[in-house]
Structures are given as C-alpha cells and as structure tokens.
Amino acid sequence: MATNRSNNDSPALTIEKFMQRTAWGIFLLAIVHGMGAAEFLVPDNTAEMLAMVGKILGVGVILIVAPGFYQAMKLGGFRKLECDHQEGFVTEMLSKASTMAFSLTFVCLLALKVIAEKYASGLPAAFFLNVALTLSLLSFSISFFVLNRDPGEDDEFSAEDDA
Amino acid sequence: MSTTLENRIRVYRAEYRMSQADLAEKIGVTRKTISTIEVGRFVPSTIIALKIAYFFNVPVEDIFRLEGDNTPKVTD
C-alpha cells in the first residue's frame, strides 16, 4: 500500500514550512533588534556598521518568509489552507513557543524596569525596547527550534520486511 | 502514576505496509505529526485521532489507549 508520491504540495506541509520559515525570520529579526540595542553602546563608526548589517538582515527576513508566503498563496491562501489543515505537531509547538516567549518577555520587562531605574537611567527608551524585543523574539524562535526538532527518519514498511 | 496516551499506529501501519509519510498524506497532516504521535511526544487532537481510526476502519480505542488512568466509570 506504500506509495512513492511526495506530499510536498500538501496543505499541511505548506503550512509547516511557512511556520518554519517564519521562525527563522523571527530569529533574524531578533538579531536585528539585538544589533539595534548594541548601537547605543558602541562607538559611532561601529554603530553605523551595525545599522548597515541590520538593514541587510532585514532584507534577509523578507527573503526567508516571502517564498513560504508565496507557496501558501499558490495553494489558495491561508483561509483555505487552515480549512484543509488539521492542527498538527508544528502548530502545537509554535503555540507552546509563543506562550514561553510571552512569559519570558514579561519577566524580562520587569527586570529591564529595575535595571533602567537603578543602573542605566542614561540610556534611551529605544535601547530597552530593542533589548526586550530581542529577548522576546529570540526566546520564541529558539524554543520553537528546540521543541520542533525532528524526531527521526520515516520508518517505511515494504515487502522486504516480510522476508 | 501519570496518565499517558499509548497508541498502536505503528502496528496498523505495518499491517497495511504504510510509511509515516503515506499515512500523513491520507489524513492531511505532516510526517512529523505522525512520527511524534507514534513516539508519544505529541498528543493528537480528537479530530486527528478519529481520522486515523476512520482511515484504518477501527474504533479509536483500538489505536489509542490511556495507560495508568484511574478515572472511575459511571457504573462504579
């Protein structure tokens, strides 16, 4: 009964790939915000270089997410895909990663408030916003990658198994 | 003792000579979903569990079973 047909174009796999691309995009975005925060701590010439790298990474985010978005549109858009797609493992892990990131962001904001008041009152609000966004996006993407790690190869049953 | 969800998907796949990818395609999920259900890492939704049971044409209890569950029955 086994078939060799690939399910590359199935709605489930398209949504899964889109989620994975989004997570990579978010990871890159975290780095961009991290560099945005670092710009306030380094000399001007280094800050300019970081800003330039940040813009290049920003383009990278679009290049990573856009193909997944295009594939989803090609299969009839997200509304149709959601109707065809059952909530699978990756969807669940994305949800768990979001919850973990939210909790960590909340703790991070409380910690940043204390740090800002006591030790770093001279730094602008943009620095703290960038730090908070970096930690939030980084915790989301890393927890998604950890939770979503592949459990292993497919174990196919074939006629040879009978022998 | 904690309650775990045991499953016999691999047994049914073996019976019908199906790969995880084949089963995934039939019920509209990805291979990773089937794989993680089989090893007990992911508890499937009721819809996915029912779809797997429908596909193999057996009651859902034949495939999924609660291990270590002490929930009393209404007749107890």
Side-chain angles (χ1 to χ4, degrees):
Chain A
M1 191 161 173
T3 63
N4 290 323
R5 198 184 138 203
S6 161
N7 64 349
N8 279 344
D9 292 323
S10 75
L13 203 61
T14 304
I15 286 190
E16 187 176 300
K17 281 181 178 173
F18 178 74
M19 287 173 186
Q20 279 164 346
R21 281 179 173 277
T22 303
W24 277 109
I26 287 172
F27 179 74
L28 272 188
L29 209 57
I31 294 171
V32 171
H33 282 291
M35 288 194 304
E39 281 175 35
F40 294 99
L41 306 171
V42 295
D44 285 350
N45 55 345
T46 313
E48 279 174 25
M49 197 185 75
L50 285 176
M52 182 62 75
V53 175
K55 280 176 188 161
I56 294 166
L57 287 177
V59 174
V61 172
I62 296 167
L63 290 177
I64 286 173
V65 178
F69 191 77
Y70 171 74
Q71 284 294 324
M73 287 296 123
K74 217 169 73 173
L75 281 177
F78 287 98
R79 181 168 286 187
K80 184 180 182 307
L81 284 178
E82 277 170 20
C83 291
D84 296 343
H85 172 65
Q86 302 304 322
E87 285 214 346
F89 174 70
V90 178
T91 313
E92 175 95 0
M93 294 308 114
L94 197 80
S95 174
K96 273 189 183 173
S98 307
T99 310
M100 286 167 80
F102 176 79
S103 309
L104 197 93
T105 304
F106 195 75
V107 173
C108 165
L109 285 172
L110 291 173
L112 279 175
K113 184 178 178 290
V114 174
I115 291 168
E117 283 170 357
K118 288 195 174 178
Y119 309 107
S121 54
L123 287 165
F127 169 79
F128 295 102
L129 282 173
N130 273 321
V131 171
L133 281 169
T134 303
L135 288 172
S136 175
L137 299 174
L138 212 57
S139 60
F140 169 79
S141 49
I142 289 173
S143 46
F144 177 73
F145 296 140
V146 171
L147 291 168
N148 192 38
R149 65 195 181 279
D150 204 309
E153 292 296 306
D154 194 348
D155 54 340
E156 297 202 25
F157 296 101
S158 64
E160 290 160 20
D161 295 339
D162 293 333
Chain B
M1 187 179 177
S2 63
T3 306
T4 55
L5 185 68
E6 301 289 324
N7 74 82
R8 299 178 69 222
I9 297 174
R10 196 171 189 280
V11 174
Y12 279 94
R13 281 198 306 106
E15 189 180 330
Y16 290 97
R17 298 268 161 263
M18 293 186 81
S19 68
Q20 291 173 342
D22 292 329
L23 177 60
E25 190 188 345
K26 298 290 181 193
I27 65 163
V29 296
T30 59
R31 186 196 68 78
K32 195 180 269 185
T33 297
I34 297 296
S35 170
T36 49
I37 293 171
E38 276 190 17
V39 297
R41 211 173 124 196
F42 172 57
V43 177
S45 68
T46 314
I47 294 175
I48 292 177
L50 285 169
K51 280 194 169 198
I52 293 170
Y54 286 157
F55 178 73
F56 287 120
N57 199 25
V58 292
V60 75
E61 297 92 331
D62 281 10
I63 297 180
F64 295 98
R65 188 168 58 88
L66 280 178
E67 191 71 39
D69 184 52
N70 296 321
T71 309
K73 291 189 175 78
V74 72
T75 50
D76 288 345

